[in-house]
Amino acid sequence: MNFIQAKEIALKELTEISNYLGEKCIFFKTYEVKDKGWVFSYNTEEYLLKQNYSHALAGNHPMFVTLDGKLKYINLEEYDKLFENTWTKVIVE
């Protein structure tokens, strides 16, 4: 599994979320976590690009795609634990 494959998995999920909400969602922060996978944070395009707070998602958890291609949502405790004792790299596209 590489970043491009992981992003495809996350994008498929993001498309489903966008379709369900009836509003386009986009990634705003992506991290590679060494030897574990990739974290994708997202929100609505309207909120992220125009700061329209009435379109902000509340309580959404980041997506995590593991090295073996499994997608799961991680809460704050899991998020903190994921980054313990390892390096991360912010991915800018």
Side-chain angles (χ1 to χ4, degrees), residues 61-73:
H61 295 287
M63 296 177 203
F64 176 61
V65 179
T66 64
L67 292 175
D68 60 356
K70 294 181 181 147
L71 182 141
K72 68 180 234 171
Y73 290 90

Side-chain angles (χ1 to χ4, degrees), residues 23 43-44 46-47 52-57:
E23 185 162 6
N43 213 308
T44 67
E46 182 74 16
Y47 169 66
N52 186 340
Y53 289 93
S54 64
H55 290 264
L57 299 178

Side-chain angles (χ1 to χ4, degrees), residues 31-46:
Y31 295 99
E32 177 184 355
V33 185
K34 183 181 181 193
D35 299 328
K36 295 182 181 178
W38 297 267
V39 176
F40 298 87
S41 298
Y42 64 95
N43 213 308
T44 67
E45 183 177 65
E46 182 74 16

